[in-house]
Each structure stands twice: as C-alpha cells, then as structure tokens.
Amino acid sequence: MDDLPRDPFDALPHYAERLRAEFEPLPHAPDADTCAQLEHEASALLMSLLAIEENAVARSGDDETESGPEFQRLERKLDLVLELLSARLFEASAPSERNVQMSAAGARWALGGSAPAPGSAGIVSIYVHRLLPRALRLPAEVLHDEAGWLRLRFLEVGEACRELLVRHVFQQHRRHLAGTRRAQRTP
C-alpha cells in the first residue's frame, strides 16, 4: 500500500455508514501466512459484495425485465430470506453496530472505551453489507489517538484486494453523494 497515504482518510474517497465492526488487538503484527489468508478471504467477500451491488444496480434500471414480474417476485423473496438469515446470524455472533467511516486504506469509528496504543497491530472486522453475514477481516494498525476515535490503517493488502476495496468504497461514496443530491432536490 505504498502509494496510499499513511492516514487512511487523506485525499481518499470514503463513506460513513452504520456497520458492525470491531478491532481485535494482537501482541504482534499478523504473520505473512495469516495476512495472505485474510487477503484471500477479503478478496472473495469483496467480489461477492460487488456482484450483489452490480446486480442491484442493473435491476434498478429495469422496470420491466424480460423475465417478468414472476421472476422479480421470486428474487425479492430470496433477498428477504437472505436478509432474515443474515440478521439471525448477526444476532448470534456479530459485534454491535457503530458509525463507521471507511476508505480503501482504513477505517475509523467512535470508541466506547479505551483505545489500543497507537502502533498496535491486530485484525479489523467490518460487516460491510447487511446481506453478507461474514465480515471483511484485514490486518490493521492503530494510528494516532483522535479524541475518542479508533483510527485504523489496513496493513499488507495486495494489489488485487486493494483494487476491490477501492471499487467498493467508490461505489458506496458515489451512492452517498447521489442520496445527498436527491435529498437536496426534494422540497
């Protein structure tokens, strides 16, 4: 991640959303094998997420598809089942929701307690979509303390995973801007 700024929010698109997230401090930075495994899992999760998002965008542009209303109804039912299943899985194991700001280089959120020391390494887990009951898990480093905020920089993220992160964050950032513009136009 040499070409990304040290601070994950300097000059990078980012978005803010209510997400389930947690940071697990470790006594030392994750080893190369752990980082590779986390990157592989993160890439797979991000590819799934991007496929879901692209499919939703494609569907929103079609009022009447070739498959007709029967297929659309079936698809909405499947979406509901996935959402209910994800909610049930979240109840059992996921961390609590918080206001998370995320960029392709890191994440931050308000702390409810004491912060790990700056420079501490660990694994950040962020549930980036309500239909995916798996967290995006990446090695991360705690940056300087920012008055009650936990500020993290992703570590050891390869080029392919970084590109997927950039696409995800850009889509969310663009969606947020579009929502803001729509809200401003509405009287």
Side-chain angles (χ1 to χ4, degrees):
M1 294 190 29
D2 296 333
D3 57 337
L4 292 177
R6 173 138 172 84
D7 188 307
F9 297 94
D10 283 352
L12 289 178
H14 62 279
Y15 70 97
E17 192 170 333
R18 191 126 178 98
L19 301 170
R20 296 175 184 272
E22 67 182 350
F23 177 70
E24 176 190 346
L26 299 174
H28 51 78
D31 61 43
D33 290 339
T34 301
C35 288
Q37 181 62 32
L38 289 170
E39 181 179 345
H40 174 74
E41 292 170 5
S43 294
L45 181 107
L46 288 165
M47 283 191 280
S48 297
L49 177 60
L50 289 169
I52 289 170
E53 294 290 333
E54 288 169 3
N55 189 28
V57 169
R59 282 188 316 205
S60 69
D62 296 339
D63 289 340
E64 279 299 314
T65 64
E66 297 172 9
S67 53
E70 291 292 320
F71 183 72
Q72 289 177 353
R73 240 186 331 274
L74 181 62
E75 199 168 15
R76 282 193 298 273
K77 287 179 183 179
L78 183 58
D79 285 346
L80 177 62
V81 168
L82 288 173
E83 188 171 347
L84 292 172
L85 178 61
S86 294
R88 184 70 175 158
L89 291 171
F90 279 148
E91 288 173 7
S93 64
S96 59
E97 283 189 346
R98 52 185 91 236
N99 293 320
V100 175
Q101 295 176 348
M102 187 170 160
S103 78
R108 65 181 168 196
W109 60 80
L111 283 173
S114 61
S120 299
I123 298 174
V124 63
S125 300
I126 304 172
Y127 291 82
V128 293
H129 195 280
R130 63 183 170 71
L131 293 180
L132 294 174
R134 288 183 29 218
L136 174 68
R137 298 180 69 233
L138 291 169
E141 170 189 29
V142 176
L143 298 178
H144 64 279
D145 184 18
E146 188 183 309
W149 285 78
L150 178 61
R151 194 173 180 95
L152 303 167
R153 180 174 65 95
F154 301 141
L155 300 173
E156 305 296 324
V157 177
E159 187 66 31
C161 186
R162 183 176 54 201
E163 285 301 317
L164 292 168
L165 273 168
V166 167
R167 283 180 57 198
H168 165 68
V169 169
F170 181 75
Q171 279 183 344
Q172 297 304 313
H173 178 71
R174 191 175 68 199
R175 183 172 290 125
H176 172 73
L177 291 176
T180 302
R181 285 188 194 117
R182 274 193 301 273
Q184 289 174 347
R185 284 189 297 224
T186 304

